[in-house]
Amino acid sequence: MTSTSASAAAMDGIYRYQRHAYDLTRRYYLLGRNELITILQPPPGGSVLEIGCGTARNLVLTARQYPETRLYGLDISAEMLKSAEATLRRNGLEARVTLAQGDATRFDPEALFGQSHFDRVFCSYSLSMIPGWETALQHAGASVRPGGELHVVDFGGQNDLPVWFGRGLRNWLARFHVTPRERLQDAMSAIASEMGGTLSFRSIYRDYARLGSIRLTD
């Protein structure tokens, strides 16, 4: 079994049943997702790709906020994509959003979506579940067109929260194969430097989460 197949099988195992209650339960602790969508601000008629789209919750909100935007979603889990397809049908968005199964560390956007670059690419609480997250982040950056932007929101280090809270959160997250990426800012800074972009990065909710954006030059 290839590493991609093994990762897909692992995610399917986690979400085969969890996907049915995913949005209901995650709304209380995946903080900052709506803020990320608000700052996307894609150009009219632009393209937006979400890496690790899950149930398509974020894609639906993005579609509503930016009605002229073309949307794309990638996920390694076939089980989650079942929920994503159902979500899009319920919201009448199946014609505006293209979904594909793929590994965030090695996907070919041209083969999957018919285009190699996007105006906006974002990762919402997905890097903390990807073993090769730094490679996935680099691949995400490479998928942004000149003048475009890469946005990330994910768990922070909980440095400004009580120690007991941070320890308990990390132990609980580990049950779902989630690991906060302490080096996220460093990794995004390196990508911004390599690609000639500008990084904006900040902690939110007392470092419960971190929100970063890279804008590439034209």
Side-chain angles (χ1 to χ4, degrees):
M1 181 181 290
T2 66
S3 59
T4 297
S5 298
S7 297
M11 291 299 99
D12 283 344
I14 293 172
Y15 291 121
R16 181 164 289 110
Y17 301 108
Q18 283 191 39
R19 66 186 178 88
H20 299 290
Y22 186 91
D23 289 334
L24 180 63
T25 57
R26 267 60 174 183
R27 63 186 297 182
Y28 299 108
Y29 65 89
L30 298 186
L31 307 179
R33 294 181 296 172
N34 291 358
E35 186 171 352
L36 181 151
I37 292 170
T38 297
I39 66 176
L40 281 178
Q41 298 294 317
S47 57
V48 177
L49 167 65
E50 180 178 13
I51 297 176
C53 65
T55 64
R57 178 263 187 195
N58 294 329
L59 290 172
V60 169
L61 292 183
T62 303
R64 291 173 178 168
Q65 193 155 340
Y66 308 106
E68 297 180 9
T69 301
R70 293 170 290 122
L71 300 164
Y72 303 85
L74 177 84
D75 206 284
I76 198 170
S77 170
E79 291 295 325
M80 284 300 253
L81 288 173
K82 291 178 184 177
S83 288
E85 290 168 355
T87 298
L88 296 178
R89 285 195 300 272
R90 284 197 306 273
N91 288 274
L93 291 169
E94 60 268 41
R96 276 190 62 199
V97 183
T98 302
L99 301 174
Q101 185 177 15
D103 186 331
T105 66
R106 61 183 70 185
F107 72 97
D108 181 348
E110 186 71 48
L112 294 175
F113 302 115
Q115 61 181 74
S116 57
H117 296 87
F118 306 85
D119 294 293
R120 301 289 185 270
V121 177
F122 71 96
C123 304
S124 172
Y125 288 93
S126 56
L127 294 179
S128 53
M129 296 196 69
I130 300 173
W133 70 274
E134 288 174 294
T135 300
L137 187 61
Q138 292 171 344
H139 205 51
S143 300
V144 180
R145 73 172 75 258
E149 298 173 8
L150 169 64
H151 297 269
V152 177
V153 65
D154 218 312
F155 291 106
Q158 295 84 50
N159 294 321
D160 298 325
L161 291 165
V163 173
W164 62 265
F165 180 89
R167 185 180 299 118
L169 177 63
R170 286 171 178 270
N171 290 338
W172 185 73
L173 291 174
R175 297 174 56 191
F176 303 98
H177 305 278
V178 176
T179 304
R181 305 307 184 189
E182 295 282 3
R183 295 189 59 258
L184 178 60
Q185 183 172 5
D186 291 338
M188 293 190 73
S189 179
I191 290 173
S193 179
E194 291 170 7
M195 301 188 69
T198 303
L199 173 65
S200 172
F201 195 94
R202 58 193 171 93
S203 297
I204 55 177
Y205 304 108
R206 298 177 64 187
D207 202 35
Y208 177 90
R210 293 171 182 173
L211 187 64
S213 302
I214 296 174
R215 179 173 179 79
L216 303 185
T217 56
D218 292 317

